[in-house]
């Protein structure tokens, strides 16, 4: 039996996303720069839990609340954050962005990686309103993923990815950054910074500058 086999035995529900393994370090580098040292962070769509386990271990003075709509993913998150046990991560929350209010807690940051292209546009709208509601004044929303800019794809690989996404579900798709920015502005979130990331992805940072003015 290999070391991998025994890990699989100990963590039968632990999922593994190769993309999360590839992008976790570049994303961590941005988070290290932009998160306050003792930030309380809500992660939306935590997926397997690889990211939250990595970020919480690397940033031990921050505190993380992972969340997921999918129950199998929540079991995976629990296993990723449980071994080795991380004292700065809460148990995963059952959270579908469409169902608000998300939480009575308030956070310094909301992090959402690779969700908005793989869910309907209504999820992006709900994400903006929900994030604005749970963020402290001047809190930060961090998004990561592929985007169209100025109405066009930024790379042929993103165009192929979009075709694949639409084939999976016609409501999914690589979003226009400007349209995302407009929804954010409606929710009182102002675009602060865009960081170009490997593989034609972007980190996009919004700052809460006002209360949401179009709750829905
Ligand atoms: C491509 S995965 C990304 C997971 C993880 N953030 C990562 O980067 O590895 C997309 C995730 O979005 C979640 N998701 C889709 N629709 C959602 C919704 N309405 N509310 C919350 N999460 C949602 C899915 O369950 C899935 O885990």
């Amino acid at each position: 039996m290999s070391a991998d086999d025994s890990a699989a035995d100990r963590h039968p529900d632990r999922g593994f996303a190769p993309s999360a393994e590839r992008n976790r370090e570049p994303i961590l580098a941005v988070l290290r720069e932009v998160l306050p040292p003792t930030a309380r962070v809500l992660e939306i769509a935590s997926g397997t839990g690889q990211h939250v386990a990595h970020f919480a271990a690397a940033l031990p003075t921050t505190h993380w609340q992972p969340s997921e709509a999918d129950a199998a993913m929540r079991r995976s998150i629990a296993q990723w954050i449980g071994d080795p046990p991380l004292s700065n991560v809460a148990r995963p929350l059952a959270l579908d962005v469409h169902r608000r209010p998300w939480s009575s807690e308030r956070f310094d940051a909301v992090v959402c990686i690779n969700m908005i292209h793989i869910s309907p546009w209504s999820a992006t709208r709900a994400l903006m309103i929900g994030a604005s509601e749970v963020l402290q004044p001047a809190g930060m929303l961090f998004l990561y993923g592929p985007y169209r800019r100025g109405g066009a794809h930024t790379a042929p690989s993103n165009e192929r990815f979009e075709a694949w996404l639409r084939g999976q579900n016609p409501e999914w798709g690589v979003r226009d950054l400007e349209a995302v920015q407009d929804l954010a502005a409606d929710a009182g979130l102002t675009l602060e910074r865009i960081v170009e990331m490997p593989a034609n992805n972007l980190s996009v940072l919004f700052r809460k500058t006002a209360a949401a003015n179009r709750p829905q």
Side-chain angles (χ1 to χ4, degrees):
M1 181 189 281
S2 71
D4 282 355
D5 287 338
S6 78
D9 282 350
R10 279 185 288 122
H11 308 294
D13 293 329
R14 192 150 148 166
F16 183 83
S19 61
E21 199 65 14
R22 284 194 300 274
N23 61 29
R24 65 182 197 167
E25 277 305 329
I27 296 174
L28 174 62
V30 178
L31 292 177
R32 203 185 278 289
E33 201 187 315
V34 300
L35 285 179
T38 58
R40 295 187 67 78
V41 186
L42 171 64
E43 187 186 27
I44 298 296
S46 296
T48 59
Q50 284 160 268
H51 280 141
V52 72
H54 187 64
F55 302 155
L59 304 169
T61 59
T62 57
H63 186 275
W64 291 76
Q65 172 65 72
S67 73
E68 245 296 330
D70 184 277
M73 291 295 187
R74 290 197 298 279
R75 288 194 291 278
S76 175
I77 297 164
Q79 295 201 338
W80 273 99
I81 62 178
D83 186 13
L86 290 161
S87 59
N88 58 333
V89 187
R91 289 169 61 82
L93 206 63
L95 193 156
D96 181 318
V97 289
H98 294 104
R99 300 216 182 96
R100 304 188 342 266
W102 293 348
S103 168
S104 55
E105 250 191 274
R106 291 295 171 263
F107 297 89
D108 303 301
V110 172
V111 167
C112 182
I113 300 169
N114 279 334
M115 184 199 78
I116 69 172
H117 57 275
I118 208 146
S119 54
W121 183 236
S122 62
T124 304
R125 181 178 292 113
L127 173 69
M128 295 304 176
I129 303 285
S132 182
E133 286 172 347
V134 299
L135 280 172
Q136 303 276 15
M140 184 190 82
L141 171 65
F142 171 95
L143 301 185
Y144 171 94
Y147 290 89
R148 292 158 55 99
R149 299 183 80 173
H153 284 289
T154 60
S157 59
N158 281 2
E159 195 167 355
R160 286 193 296 275
F161 184 47
E162 162 115 48
W164 179 84
L165 285 169
R166 299 261 179 218
Q168 300 295 306
N169 185 327
E171 288 194 84
W172 295 357
V174 175
R175 306 303 179 194
D176 279 303
L177 182 56
E178 295 79 7
V180 173
Q181 190 179 342
D182 285 348
L183 277 189
D186 287 341
L189 301 166
T190 303
L191 180 66
E192 184 171 283
R193 189 168 160 195
I194 298 170
V195 183
E196 300 211 358
M197 304 294 285
N200 306 302
N201 290 292
L202 298 178
S203 286
V204 185
L205 277 70
F206 297 93
R207 184 74 53 191
K208 180 170 169 177
T209 49
N213 61 15
R214 204 169 67 183
Q216 46 195 289

